[in-house]
Amino acid sequence: MMHRLALGILPLLLAAPLAAQSASVELPYEQFTLDNGLTVVLHRDASTPNITTNVWYHVGSAHERPGRTGFAHLFEHIMFEGSANVPRGKIDEWFEEVGGSPNGSTTRDRTNYHQTFGSNALDMALFIESDRMGYLLEAMSPSTVDIQRDVVKNERRQNYDNRPYGLAGQTIAETIYPASHPYFWPVIGYMDDLSAASYEDVTDFFERFYAPNNASLVISGDIDFAEARALVEKWFAEIPEGAAVPELNAQPVLLDEERRVALEDRVQLPRLYMAWTTPAAYAEGDAEMAALARLLAGGRNSRLYRRLVYDLQIADDVAAFQRSGKLGSDFTLLATARGGHTLEELATVIDEEIERLRSEPPSAREVQRIVNEYETGFLEEMERIDRKADRMNEYLFYTGTPDYFQQDLDRFRGLTPESLSAAAREHLHPTHRVILSVVPRGQTELAMPGSRLIPDENLADSPGAR
Amino acid sequence: MSLPETRSAKRAANRSSMSMTARTVFLLAAALGVGCAPAAVDTAPPAPAAEVAAPDRSERPDPGPVPELRLPEVQRLTLSNGLEVYLLEKHDVPLVQVNLAVGAGSVHDPAERLGIASLTAGMLDEGAAGRSALEIADALEYLGARFFIAPGTHATRIGLRVPTARLEEGLDVFSDVVLRPDFPGQELDRLRAERLTSLVRRHDDPQAVAGVLFGQRVFGPDHPYGRTAVGDEAHLRAMTTDDLRRFHETHFRPDNASVVVVGAISPDEVRARLEAALGGWERGEVPTAPVAEPGPIEGRTIYLVDVPGAAQSVIRLGHLGVPRSTEDYYALEVMNTILGGSFTSRLNRNLREDKGYTYGARSGFDMWVNPGPFWAGAAVQTDVTGPALTEFMNELRRIHEPMPEEEVSLARNFLAMRYPAGFQSVSEIAGRVGGLIEHGLPVDELDAYTARVLEVERADVERAARRYVDPENMAIVVVGDRAVIEEQIRAQGIGDVEILEVADVLGAVPVVTGPGT
């Protein structure tokens, strides 16, 4: 099937007065599906002589089994170690030769692989991507797994274990989700599980999840549609379809109580986190929560920055984010106490501000400020072929169509003071939440009262091994 | 633009048959459902693969002719007060980036007011032309503008990115902030406490500790490149609004500044908008700040900062490097790409891909107006800290040996071919142009880059390596768990080991309490 859609004219965007825009986003593309189930999206943007390829495999840490956490991400590393016709080390070398720095990333829901390179190398890029989609295992050996296992363990140490407040995210997830929930464990995985990962696990994982019908490919940049399509068919059509991957299911999580936990860390200042479970990615309420994160902690006039950091000066920083996922999302607020101030002082103000938002809608200007910032963000995405490619894959995965730019923008343009207040009422409940205190080592009295102290032995290992 | 070499099409002779065998096995497995997920009843049958012609995978399809990057022309305008403006038009997305660089950086800090350039920059949007700090932020956020103030070593950059239709309103705030800051006293007190707190929090971060100590050891603690821009606790506490006002008045002058504009806008509109916003800015006498040449490092000393229980060791080593104006800029770009500037570089390949010691090892030359540092570094697993140091030494020595032509050719192609993708967004383009201007380089370097990189020859790279990388005379910083790493490090025999505490590097933890500290 083929589509060619042009949605309005981009340069009209934002020509209208600030609060009354209705112009639209143009993103011509072509979409088709190969017989083996691979979904392909092409987008042309010839502003520089470059092409991006971006593959999403619809597998993330949520698909892992207990005892093998971190495997989806470890597997992502292994995908750069060569395949039947691409010797070890050559993926990076061949892409560097045409200006590319191949990379990938893993989330709870998916794994992606992407690179931007000279527009003279699409044939080679698709040869490489298809070779590892179809013929990865021929090049694998146990030593490949061993080296990347060590690299990933160092990634964990560098970005989590040896970073101030680095274990907060893991602790919140382990507290807010039940152990049976696929979002319970961190994407990076636990050290003992990484140690246990075997060569057989690689084989099994590849056959289970790395099939064309569980993937989508976006090519954006200086391409000719017909030529690109022919190259995609040439390299990918022969790869056999795999068994269907069953959809993951998880019951929506809502804590029936407030859970208070505390963690010691090598830090000078205590920090408070609050977390709630919230609506899934692109579901009703997801945009509201993303906007509430800004309203509360994005910029100087946000509610919490203004009170905690600017007026009262009892916090050094505040932040908030909605981490959206297919099986549900979580929303986290954090604030670091200034010297001499307590987490209880911070919590009192945060609770007041959340309550105020729940009981009385924000001003129209506060909402418009957020909408205008999102609009600029959309324009910034339009500048870059890599960002557009990844976004189209994201839309395809979460909404079923790559062509969701306009609707996504409209999600934010449609926000109102009342809808934000309603979302705060529904999701930022005063008790159904996790409160995490991260305190300097040996100063557990700085934690919020009633917190359960998490023993700091072996926090890098899985809960069962601690 | 000349053509980068492509790889010769030499391939292993048996590759083709291997791939055929492999594919056969794989297809059979899929057809039988062997090794696949437990098949649900409604699973679609595998596609009949036999109908599809298999492509020849025995040879890599080599890249075609190198495409040409066509950059927008750099247009130059001069405002009535002499302020130089550089414009690159780019009309595909209705955004515009305006970057102003003012020659006011930490090199201009007087010895008794360390941190003043950075603090002055930080205070610009804390109140201007009667607008309060919150009003300034609100005005910019409401426009959907991205606004930054970035104090640096030689210059402070102030940037505004905004949809073109909102540029006029954006520049209105921008010019207030740059030309008419109020320096309110209560905001200074607030900002001072924030900065002191950042000095507190630096104690938490091993990467930050390593960076500070490395600067101190390469340049000496009193050199402007050897200290951090945020300044010194005692000086921060002593700074007054009058100090800041005087610093601003002296250094923020149009003849000490330049503007880069990139985006969907015409030269006429740029001139009109900037003349209205910045044309009234008065010229002034701006003192220069000569930067002394630091003394050389002799021999190798390892500075081990103890962080008990640290999960990794942060390694940073190196010595004095080169200024951005070096005639060997392109040779050094290629050389460093080979050593530690790309994923396939020797350092990363050795320490990460071969040994698994680290998530990544890199090296670089920080090229500023005066010579910045040459550095190499990684965060490594604690129990291999000693061996990792030895591998760093091995690579820094090996880079002096004759270099395989393929490595030089790959590095050259990587740099040349990577270049065009850096011209997609208005902010990247403006940053690149600004970087040239601030280092006194001609803007036509922008067009020359690719050709200059491709001209670099193996002999140039070898000469640059021998001249600018000196493994015998280096400062070596390791921040990690002494109890686990000291013996290993000593056992390598790389140099004398000096043991430090975090407080030896950063001083005592400042005491910061509530407002008005």
Side-chain angles (χ1 to χ4, degrees), chain A residues 10-11 13-15 18-19 21 35-36 45 47-50 77 81 84-90 92-94 96-101 116 118-121 123-124 127 130-131 134-135 138 147-148 150-151 154-155 157-159 161-162 164-165 204 206-208 234-244 246 266-269 271 294 298-301 305-306 309-313 316-317 336 338-341 365 368-369 372-373 375-377 379-380 382-386, chain B residues 5-7 11 15 18-19 22-23 26-27 30 34-38 43-47 49 52-57 59-61 63-69 90 92-95 125-126 133-134 137-139 141-146 161 163 165-166 169 187 190 193-194 197 200-201 203-207 307-312 314 342-344 349 352-359 379-381 410 413-414 417-418 420-421 423-426 428 509 512-516:
Chain A
L10 185 65
L13 183 63
L14 302 170
L18 284 181
Q21 283 133 9
D35 287 345
N36 59 17
D45 172 349
S47 37
T48 66
N50 292 104
H77 279 240
E81 295 297 302
N85 305 289
V86 181
R88 177 162 193 256
K90 294 298 175 190
D92 293 294
E93 214 174 292
W94 290 351
E96 284 183 6
E97 185 185 318
V98 290
S101 293
T116 299
S119 56
N120 56 334
D123 197 12
M124 183 182 82
F127 159 70
S130 65
D131 211 58
Y135 312 107
E138 287 82 338
I147 293 276
Q148 289 307 312
D150 286 344
V151 171
N154 274 308
E155 182 177 355
R157 293 182 188 108
Q158 185 172 326
N159 290 341
D161 302 321
N162 208 35
Y165 312 100
D204 177 66
F206 181 76
E207 286 172 355
R208 203 184 283 255
K234 167 181 160 192
W235 292 114
F236 287 88
E238 61 154 346
I239 300 172
E241 184 174 356
R266 268 186 299 274
V267 294
Q268 301 289 332
L269 301 174
R271 180 184 278 180
R294 291 200 181 202
R300 283 206 162 167
N301 288 286
Y305 184 92
R306 185 170 176 163
V309 181
Y310 188 86
D311 286 339
L312 298 170
Q313 300 177 38
D316 191 49
D317 57 25
T336 311
R338 270 287 177 75
H341 292 281
R365 188 174 175 94
Q368 194 59 47
R369 203 162 60 202
N372 291 346
E373 288 184 339
E375 284 180 346
T376 302
L379 290 181
E380 288 165 348
M382 295 299 145
E383 292 188 291
R384 299 190 56 99
I385 56 174
D386 53 351
Chain B
E5 300 148 51
T6 50
R7 284 178 55 85
R11 298 281 178 270
R15 185 65 41 69
M18 173 184 158
S19 122
R23 185 163 60 243
F26 184 83
L27 292 179
V34 176
C36 293
T43 298
V52 180
D56 177 7
R57 292 183 179 271
E59 298 278 327
R60 181 194 86 167
V66 171
E68 199 185 342
L69 170 66
K90 179 178 180 293
D92 48 355
V93 176
L95 280 173
D125 64 346
E126 295 288 351
L134 294 180
D138 173 70
E141 288 162 11
Y142 190 68
L143 295 172
R146 315 288 189 199
R161 177 164 69 260
R166 299 176 189 165
E169 294 153 283
E187 302 294 9
R190 203 190 90 251
E194 271 179 22
T197 303
V200 171
R201 292 181 65 173
H203 287 249
D204 296 346
D205 186 356
Q207 299 273 3
V307 178
Q312 266 188 332
V314 178
S342 68
F343 190 89
T344 66
R349 194 165 274 203
R352 171 181 157 134
E353 290 298 288
D354 292 348
K355 310 280 189 324
Y357 289 169
T358 176
Y359 181 43
V380 304
Q381 197 175 328
L410 174 62
N413 285 352
F414 176 54
M417 293 290 291
R418 165 176 84 164
F423 289 86
Q424 296 179 74
S425 67
V426 292
E428 287 169 304
V509 179
V512 191
T513 50

Side-chain angles (χ1 to χ4, degrees), chain A residues 64 69-78 81 106 144-161 186-191 193-195 197, chain B residues 312 352-353 355-360 381:
Chain A
E64 293 160 357
T69 65
F71 195 81
H73 170 252
L74 174 59
F75 193 90
E76 175 215 315
H77 279 240
I78 289 168
E81 295 297 302
T106 308
T144 320
V145 184
D146 290 338
I147 293 276
Q148 289 307 312
R149 183 202 326 276
D150 286 344
V151 171
V152 168
K153 285 182 170 181
N154 274 308
E155 182 177 355
R156 185 185 156 104
R157 293 182 188 108
Q158 185 172 326
N159 290 341
Y160 303 90
D161 302 321
V187 174
I188 191 74
Y190 300 119
M191 286 294 194
D193 289 353
L194 290 169
S195 299
Chain B
Q312 266 188 332
R352 171 181 157 134
E353 290 298 288
K355 310 280 189 324
Y357 289 169
T358 176
Y359 181 43
Q381 197 175 328

Side-chain angles (χ1 to χ4, degrees), chain A residues 10 55 125 237 287 291 318 327 443:
Chain A
L10 185 65
V55 181
V318 296
L327 303 177
Q443 299 183 49

